[in-house]
Amino acid sequence: MLDEPLPLDDRGFAYGDGLFETVLVRDGQALLWRAHLERLERGAERLGFELPDPASLQALPARCGPGLTVLKLVVTRGSGGRGYRPPGVAEPRWRWSVAPFAPQPERWRHGVVVRLCQLRLSWQPRLAGIKHLARLENVLARQEWQDENIAEGILCDGDGNLVEATAMNLIWRRAGVLETPRLDRCGVAGTLLEALGERLPIHRVQASDLALREADAAWVLNSVQGVWPLRRLVSAEGTRLKDWSLERQDSLQSAAHSLLGYPGSEDLRDLVAK
Amino acid sequence: MLDEPLPLDDRGFAYGDGLFETVLVRDGQALLWRAHLERLERGAERLGFELPDPASLQALPARCGPGLTVLKLVVTRGSGGRGYRPPGVAEPRWRWSVAPFAPQPERWRHGVVVRLCQLRLSWQPRLAGIKHLARLENVLARQEWQDENIAEGILCDGDGNLVEATAMNLIWRRAGVLETPRLDRCGVAGTLLEALGERLPIHRVQASDLALREADAAWVLNSVQGVWPLRRLVSAEGTRLKDWSLERQDSLQSAAHSLLGYPGSEDLRDLVAK
């Protein structure tokens, strides 16, 4: 059973030795499904084990029931090995859970306030980009603030380069050019970001938070929440660093939301009463 | 029950959001027990949750049965929160398992061959020193070699500074001085290393693998295996970098082994037939 409890010797639990995906599912249809499966494949290759029968996953979204849900998929290297040493031939273990999901249209429409986090992400090229289970840095970063008015925290690496938000990717537009941080040393390569990158010219850059302050628009995004335009950036101490006036028509959001079956910015104006 | 399976929403499983200890237990008596509990306390403080009733742990070693065993203790932040965001008040969860253990006296006596790992440990001062569950770097490093003649892998950080071995700490003697790598940016502060540091002058230094080649003796150690003197260092590609001739009388090993109830180097000469 994919939803039964986990044995204590599972290496995902013992060492974070596994991968996960959170997938938006609408009426039994997974959105960006291929991108999620491909990231799992890339992750398993990086960790050095074979995904067991990914075909068996195909039936999962249909079991999520009607309406909007989030399917969480976890695959670990399974049990065995000796301490950190993995078993010669792993028998990976799938687990999954499903939960109803409600997006936040007011954040799509009116944007969000984000803060710079104090925690600096560490560089580990061997793990960068993939969505592995060892996510303690994200937990520590998300623990930095309790203010419900702050929707996300922006993370930099030890050199002060922008990387991502705690659970979302980051895009901004500067001098007419769409930019996003490089993710080859740390961070997670989000499926929505990747899918957008195939449709829009988004440049991967190395840039400090100065780039955000120079940007005339910026967004955080993921494949579950969609795209939240940034309305304000504050420092870790709460000082206002930048305000953005949201665009009348947000074509990046519309492009992203069409991939998720969410309303585009034009529809949002009618949808969300101000 | 401390040994029942884990619910899938446990944050230790989901994000590596927890801590562990592996404790040597002899006839129901835990060795370096206070040091293990203190490291758990330091770890919980770093992660921002309170250890639930550590007093209830006191009875565990006695339940490990006769002979030499290893008690593995895991404490996670429990369930709850929203994604990476921890719950306001965590209800941490203890789990434990016990396994019989046999040390390797021939490694104590005749030393071991170690290799330099290719993986570079990332700097994360917020997590350095503690024994958290997000140990994917150690798994990747241990996965680098299969040769049973190589006992451990030596890890450096991204700047080429020595840090530790994959599951042990590292000490060497250079110009008559005992040295060990600083562990404030990455690595785990081992309980045996800490206990030795209270008894011997061991200098924490920043040093590349050149220091090892200049050393006239070197050891890897942890609180379960004891102290293995290094006999040879090889590169990741297998090239011989350094040979050590083992000392007749190894006082560092004797000091460490007296803390674990293992035989000192003088006794070992009689114990292990060559």
Side-chain angles (χ1 to χ4, degrees), chain B residues 100-118:
Chain B
F101 178 71
Q104 301 175 71
E106 69 288 353
R107 291 187 168 181
W108 294 336
R109 175 75 173 109
H110 300 299
V112 296
V113 179
V114 299
R115 67 189 283 284
L116 292 175
C117 286
Q118 285 172 315

Side-chain angles (χ1 to χ4, degrees), chain A residues 46-47 123-128, chain B residues 115-123 135-145 153-166 186 236-237:
Chain A
R46 218 68 97 69
L47 301 191
W123 285 4
Q124 184 45 270
R126 295 279 303 278
L127 296 173
Chain B
R115 67 189 283 284
L116 292 175
C117 286
Q118 285 172 315
L119 180 127
R120 298 304 179 101
L121 290 173
S122 60
W123 285 5
R135 303 239 75 90
L136 210 30
E137 288 186 325
N138 303 65
V139 172
L140 290 183
R142 186 56 190 83
Q143 201 176 19
E144 288 184 17
W145 81 97
I154 304 296
L155 287 159
C156 294
D157 65 20
D159 280 6
N161 302 303
L162 291 167
V163 182
E164 61 186 359
T166 68
C186 45
E237 296 74 29

Side-chain angles (χ1 to χ4, degrees), chain A:
Chain A
M1 285 290 291
L2 285 168
D3 51 356
E4 69 185 13
L6 201 73
L8 283 185
D9 64 359
D10 184 88
R11 298 179 60 92
F13 176 55
Y15 308 126
D17 194 1
L19 306 158
F20 72 111
E21 294 290 332
T22 46
V23 183
L24 184 69
V25 179
R26 179 178 291 106
D27 297 324
Q29 297 283 325
L31 283 302
L32 297 174
W33 185 228
R34 192 176 54 86
H36 286 289
L37 295 180
E38 283 175 0
R39 184 168 59 185
L40 281 175
E41 290 280 359
R42 283 200 305 276
E45 196 174 336
R46 218 68 97 69
L47 301 191
F49 65 86
E50 298 228 358
L51 290 188
D53 188 19
S56 69
L57 299 180
Q58 295 297 343
L60 280 183
R63 292 169 63 184
C64 290
L68 215 52
T69 56
V70 169
L71 169 65
K72 179 168 177 173
L73 273 177
V74 184
V75 60
T76 77
R77 202 190 301 263
S79 299
R82 216 165 56 212
Y84 295 130
R85 182 179 186 173
V89 178
E91 293 184 25
R93 191 172 274 137
W94 287 112
R95 287 292 184 274
W96 68 291
S97 62
V98 58
F101 178 72
Q104 301 177 71
E106 68 289 353
R107 291 187 167 180
W108 293 336
R109 174 75 174 108
H110 300 299
V112 295
V113 179
V114 299
R115 68 189 284 285
L116 291 176
C117 285
Q118 284 171 316
L119 179 128
R120 298 304 179 100
L121 290 173
S122 61
W123 285 4
Q124 184 45 270
R126 295 279 303 278
L127 296 173
I130 66 172
K131 196 153 179 169
H132 56 75
L133 290 172
R135 302 239 76 90
L136 210 31
E137 289 187 323
N138 303 65
V139 173
L140 290 182
R142 186 56 190 84
Q143 201 176 20
E144 287 185 18
W145 81 96
Q146 306 299 327
D147 182 349
E148 300 290 341
N149 295 313
I150 294 177
E152 253 291 15
I154 304 296
L155 288 159
C156 294
D157 65 21
D159 280 7
N161 302 303
L162 292 167
V163 182
E164 61 186 0
T166 69
M168 305 177 88
N169 286 117
L170 176 65
I171 300 177
W172 61 86
R173 191 183 57 213
R174 191 165 51 151
V177 176
L178 292 172
E179 297 179 331
T180 196
R182 55 186 284 196
L183 297 171
D184 55 345
R185 297 180 299 203
C186 45
V188 176
T191 52
L192 181 57
L193 175 70
E194 297 289 315
L196 269 183
E198 292 170 7
R199 287 159 179 86
L200 300 171
I202 303 176
H203 295 257
R204 295 180 185 271
V205 300
Q206 174 165 326
S208 77
D209 64 293
L210 276 178
L212 266 187
R213 303 195 216 181
E214 291 167 4
D216 57 52
W219 304 265
V220 288
L221 65 154
N222 71 27
S223 63
V224 171
Q225 298 287 358
V227 175
W228 298 341
L230 301 196
R231 191 173 75 226
R232 175 173 294 176
L233 172 70
V234 300
S235 72
E237 296 74 29
T239 314
R240 186 191 311 187
L241 299 176
K242 171 86 179 185
D243 281 316
W244 289 273
S245 64
L246 300 196
E247 298 183 11
R248 285 293 164 76
Q249 186 176 326
D250 187 326
S251 59
L252 183 129
Q253 186 183 58
S254 294
H257 282 197
S258 73
L259 296 169
L260 299 174
Y262 285 153
S265 53
E266 297 222 17
D267 306 315
L268 275 171
R269 246 180 300 169
D270 306 327
L271 194 70
V272 181
K274 168 71 181 179

